[in-house]
Amino acid sequence: MLAVVTALFLFAAGCNAPAKETDAKTTVVSAMTPEQKQAIEQEISGLIKEFFQQVEKLDIERCMTYFENTPDFQAVNPDGTLGDYDALKKLNADGFSQMKTLSAVPNKEVIRVLTDSLVLYTFSMEQNATLKTGQKITFEHVAGTMLFTKINGAWKATFYQESASAPVPVK
């Protein structure tokens, strides 16, 4: 519920900002055809699949291409701290640098089209990692939210939130 309120707040704040010359008229979901909504859901689904493939490759540079690198970007990290694009990149690069392998096993995913240029994606998953030391760990409960905005014809995450339980060593 908090993620939806946050997304709506971000959307409302964006509506009060002066329009950029490249901005197009936004169509709310209630005015969209089922086909339009489904097409957007498929675009986001494909994008997410590609994103998690890069996560599993531990490729921080490619992973970060799915996020908008602007001063307005916000991240809420698993430890509850707030960060910008660079902080999110550093946090994940530090984590990736300790891993030999990582797999993401989705439990549930929800794509919610808010407008033709704003989509909320929520996920829960399990992540299994092998550290460079050889130790195996599992993050049994990882949940996150990404707010995608269509910018110059491309979907970019403009907000990211992740929560995770502490890793559990695998015997």
Side-chain angles (χ1 to χ4, degrees):
M1 180 67 178
L2 180 59
V4 172
V5 171
T6 301
L8 292 175
F9 174 77
L10 290 171
F11 175 68
C15 290
N16 292 330
K20 298 175 189 169
E21 286 183 36
T22 59
D23 288 349
K25 185 175 182 233
T26 300
T27 304
V28 294
V29 72
S30 61
M32 295 171 64
T33 67
E35 294 79 14
Q36 289 171 314
K37 184 179 171 192
Q38 185 178 32
I40 292 171
E41 289 170 348
Q42 289 175 343
E43 285 179 53
I44 296 297
S45 180
L47 190 68
I48 290 301
K49 183 178 178 182
E50 292 171 12
F51 171 71
F52 282 117
Q53 287 172 345
Q54 299 311 314
V55 168
E56 288 184 336
K57 290 178 182 176
L58 302 170
D59 187 341
I60 191 62
E61 295 302 325
R62 288 288 309 237
C63 286
M64 293 307 293
T65 64
Y66 294 86
F67 298 92
E68 181 66 8
N69 185 2
T70 66
D72 293 333
F73 177 84
Q74 286 188 317
V76 179
N77 301 313
D79 64 0
T81 59
L82 295 176
D84 59 10
Y85 177 92
D86 292 327
L88 179 67
K89 182 177 181 178
K90 182 179 180 341
L91 180 75
N92 284 289
D94 291 347
F96 286 3
S97 72
Q98 298 175 43
M99 296 179 193
K100 185 185 219 178
T101 65
L102 176 65
S103 68
V105 182
N107 296 321
K108 185 172 183 177
E109 298 176 292
V110 177
I111 297 171
R112 182 160 181 228
V113 177
L114 303 173
T115 72
D116 62 346
S117 61
L118 196 62
V119 174
L120 188 65
Y121 168 72
T122 306
F123 65 90
S124 67
M125 67 175 48
E126 178 179 300
Q127 292 180 342
N128 301 296
T130 301
L131 302 179
K132 289 183 177 175
T133 63
Q135 181 182 7
K136 294 183 180 198
I137 59 173
T138 297
F139 295 89
E140 294 176 335
H141 303 286
V142 179
T145 302
M146 299 171 86
L147 182 65
F148 284 96
T149 306
K150 198 161 204 176
I151 301 169
N152 296 325
W155 290 104
K156 293 285 188 169
T158 55
F159 173 83
Y160 182 76
Q161 171 276 322
E162 184 178 313
S163 302
S165 59
V168 176
V170 176
K171 296 180 184 183

